[in-house]
Amino acid sequence: MQLTDTDFALFGVPPTFAQDRATLDARWKELQREAHPDRFAAQGPAAQRLAMQWSVRINEAYQRLKDPLRRAAYLCELNGAPVDAERNTAMPPEFLVQQMEWREALEDAGDLAALEALQVQVDAARARALSSLDWLIDEKGDYPGAAQQVRALMFIERFADEADAAFDRLGQ
């Protein structure tokens, strides 16, 4: 293994969107045991620094692989279709209309029941987007389409966070 290997190569898993979380967790623990700086104490400071670099690299890869959104964005980038969410905000009109409706519903939500109904819609949209990513990446190999879906899912996640904050405000 090399520090420059892909996260998938590092973890010894296929470069697919669908991943088994238990496998990732077990491999992370195994890699961390192998690279722990304390195991290299007798070999001197240089060996410990290298072990620390490996430990950081393993943790970064694990964080990316275990999160479906980050994993999808990483796969898109590896396959020549970076998400580029800061500069590319184009979305289909129906998606934008849905977002405006959600924003209005969030602003108008005066009680927990209204927020819960909105959260059901957002959770369903999140599930559809994740399923779509699985299909776009693993079935079709459509990385530009997946990159657009990742951008949409990023918006859905931000909106879900805003809805959670509204729950907190109403619950207090």
Side-chain angles (χ1 to χ4, degrees), residues 105-172:
L106 184 59
E107 289 174 15
D108 295 343
D111 59 20
L112 289 176
L115 281 176
E116 287 169 354
L118 181 58
Q119 185 156 27
V120 166
Q121 291 178 33
V122 173
D123 289 345
R126 180 187 294 129
R128 283 190 307 273
L130 287 170
S131 177
S132 176
L133 281 171
D134 187 23
W135 178 72
L136 286 166
I137 293 171
D138 292 348
E139 300 296 321
K140 282 187 71 180
D142 178 3
Y143 295 98
Q148 181 176 352
Q149 191 65 28
V150 167
R151 288 190 297 274
L153 189 54
M154 290 169 78
F155 185 91
I156 292 168
E157 293 292 338
R158 278 192 305 272
F159 184 80
D161 289 344
E162 292 174 27
D164 287 343
F167 266 111
D168 292 344
R169 285 191 301 276
L170 276 179
Q172 293 179 358

Side-chain angles (χ1 to χ4, degrees), residues 36-162:
H36 198 280
D38 290 348
R39 292 191 62 209
F40 299 90
Q43 296 176 24
Q48 283 187 301
R49 276 193 302 278
L50 183 58
M52 182 60 74
Q53 286 177 330
W54 271 104
S55 185
V56 168
R57 173 70 179 95
I58 291 163
N59 282 331
E60 288 172 347
Y62 177 65
Q63 293 304 315
R64 201 167 17 245
L65 291 178
K66 76 176 186 172
D67 180 288
L69 183 58
R70 291 180 68 193
R71 182 172 59 245
Y74 181 61
L75 279 162
C76 289
E77 185 175 318
L78 287 176
N79 288 280
V83 172
D84 197 24
E86 296 79 32
R87 289 186 296 229
N88 187 347
T89 58
M91 290 288 163
E94 59 275 0
F95 180 80
L96 296 174
V97 168
Q98 177 66 66
Q99 303 322 301
M100 289 189 304
E101 290 173 358
W102 283 354
R103 291 229 172 267
E104 289 173 9
L106 184 59
E107 289 174 15
D108 295 343
D111 59 20
L112 289 176
L115 281 176
E116 287 169 354
L118 181 58
Q119 185 156 27
V120 166
Q121 291 178 33
V122 173
D123 289 345
R126 180 187 294 129
R128 283 190 307 273
L130 287 170
S131 177
S132 176
L133 281 171
D134 187 23
W135 178 72
L136 286 166
I137 293 171
D138 292 348
E139 300 296 321
K140 282 187 71 180
D142 178 3
Y143 295 98
Q148 181 176 352
Q149 191 65 28
V150 167
R151 288 190 297 274
L153 189 54
M154 290 169 78
F155 185 91
I156 292 168
E157 293 292 338
R158 278 192 305 272
F159 184 80
D161 289 344
E162 292 174 27

